[in-house]
Amino acid sequence: MFKSKGLARQHQQNRLKKLVADHPDKKAAEEKQLHQKLFASSFWQQANHVALTHAMAFEVATEPIIQRAWQEGKFVYLAKVEANRALSFRLVTEKTPLVQSGKLGLWEPTSEVTIAKDSLDLVIVPALAFDFVSHHRLGFGGGYYDRFLFEYEGASVGLVLEEQSGLTWPVDQHDQAVQYLIK
Ligand SMILES: Nc1nc2c(c(=O)[nH]1)N(C=O)[C@@H](CNc1ccc(C(=O)N[C@@H](CCC(=O)O)C(=O)O)cc1)CN2
Ligand SMILES: Nc1ncnc2c1ncn2[C@@H]1O[C@H](COP(=O)(O)OP(=O)(O)OP(=O)(O)O)[C@@H](O)[C@H]1O
C-alpha cells in the first residue's frame, strides 16, 4: 500500500517508462492482446461513439484502437483539457490535425465538434494503475476523469498492462470506478 497517491504515481511512471525503454516488445505484445480482447467485447461491438485519449509512449497504445474504430465505422472522440480542469471529447477523423499542448505535451484534437456526455457509448479510460478489486484508477492527479465519469452513464473500460496492476493506494471520496477492466 502506497502512503499517498503521489508516491504511487511516481512509482508507476518510473515502472512504465522502464517497461518502454527496456522491454518494448513485451509491452507491444501485451497491448496487442488487450486490443484484441477489447475488439471482441460486447461493449466495443455495441458502441458507435467512442471516446479515448492520444496515448503517451508509456501508456497503453490507443492508435490501433482509433484505426480499428474508423475501420468499423465508429465515431471517434479524443480528449482535450479545458478550463476549470474539465475534459471535452472532440470528434476526430483521419483528417483532423492534433496539436501538442500542456506540461505533459499531450496531443489534442483541433476539431471544434464536441460530444455531450450522454451521447457517448464507450469511454476508454487511461491510468497509471488500476485496482482489480474496486476498479479504481490512479491518474496523473488532475481529477479529469473523476469529474468526467461522475454522472456518466455509458460504458467505461480500462486496459491494464501487467505493470499497471498489483498495487494499492489511498482512495478519495471523489474517485470514480471504471465499469470494465481488461487484462
Ligand atoms: N494520454 C493521455 N491524455 C489525457 C490524460 C491521460 O491520462 N493520458 N488525461 C487523464 O486525466 C487527461 C489529462 N490529464 C492531465 C493531468 C495532469 C496534468 C498536469 O499538468 N498536471 C500537473 C503537471 C504534471 C506534472 O509534472 O506532474 C499540473 O497540473 O501542474 C495535465 C493533464 C486528458 N488527456
Ligand atoms: N468531482 C470533482 N470535483 C472537484 N474536484 C475534484 C473532483 N474529482 C477530483 N477532484 C480534485 O482533483 C484532484 C485530483 O484528483 P485525483 O488525484 O484523484 O486525480 P486522478 O484521478 O489521479 O487524475 P486524472 O483523472 O486527471 O488522471 C484532487 O485534488 C481532487 O480534489
Side-chain angles (χ1 to χ4, degrees):
M1 172 83 163
F2 282 88
K3 283 219 169 85
S4 71
K5 279 185 176 173
L7 289 172
R9 258 179 213 122
Q10 203 52 59
H11 174 86
Q12 277 305 100
Q13 287 203 42
N14 292 338
R15 190 175 171 197
L16 292 169
K17 283 178 181 167
K18 206 166 156 48
L19 175 67
V20 193
D22 299 350
H23 306 286
D25 300 351
K26 177 170 189 277
K27 179 170 183 277
E30 276 194 66
E31 284 170 330
K32 198 168 176 189
Q33 288 221 338
L34 294 175
H35 292 152
Q36 291 309 325
K37 286 183 187 171
L38 171 68
F39 302 150
S41 72
S42 57
F43 47 88
W44 170 266
Q45 287 168 12
Q46 286 162 16
N48 198 20
H49 297 273
V50 180
L52 63 175
T53 56
H54 186 280
M56 290 178 269
F58 64 87
E59 296 181 297
V60 174
T62 53
E63 193 59 40
I65 307 176
I66 295 168
Q67 294 294 339
R68 175 73 169 235
W70 283 334
Q71 267 172 31
E72 295 186 7
K74 299 183 195 299
F75 293 94
V76 174
Y77 304 84
L78 287 184
K80 179 169 168 20
V81 169
E82 304 286 355
N84 302 317
R85 304 228 150 191
L87 271 189
S88 69
F89 287 102
R90 297 174 180 235
L91 182 68
V92 295
T93 68
E94 281 92 336
K95 292 182 183 141
T96 310
L98 303 181
V99 290
Q100 217 172 5
S101 55
K103 284 185 192 165
L104 297 177
L106 298 171
W107 289 90
E108 299 186 325
T110 52
S111 136
E112 295 298 324
V113 183
T114 60
I115 185 164
K117 200 185 268 201
D118 61 5
S119 298
L120 281 172
D121 303 312
L122 178 64
V123 176
I124 298 168
V125 182
L128 289 166
F130 289 96
D131 182 323
F132 276 104
V133 178
S134 63
H135 283 208
H136 280 125
R137 54 181 283 284
L138 178 71
F140 285 97
Y144 290 97
Y145 277 90
D146 292 328
R147 279 185 210 85
F148 177 82
L149 291 173
F150 181 72
E151 295 184 337
Y152 166 70
E153 290 178 349
S156 56
V157 61
L159 305 183
V160 194
L161 300 168
E162 189 189 318
E163 292 76 8
Q164 287 175 305
S165 62
L167 55 160
T168 55
W169 58 88
V171 170
D172 296 314
Q173 211 192 330
H174 62 254
D175 284 334
Q176 302 293 315
V178 172
Q179 188 179 13
Y180 303 106
L181 291 181
I182 293 180
K183 63 173 165 181

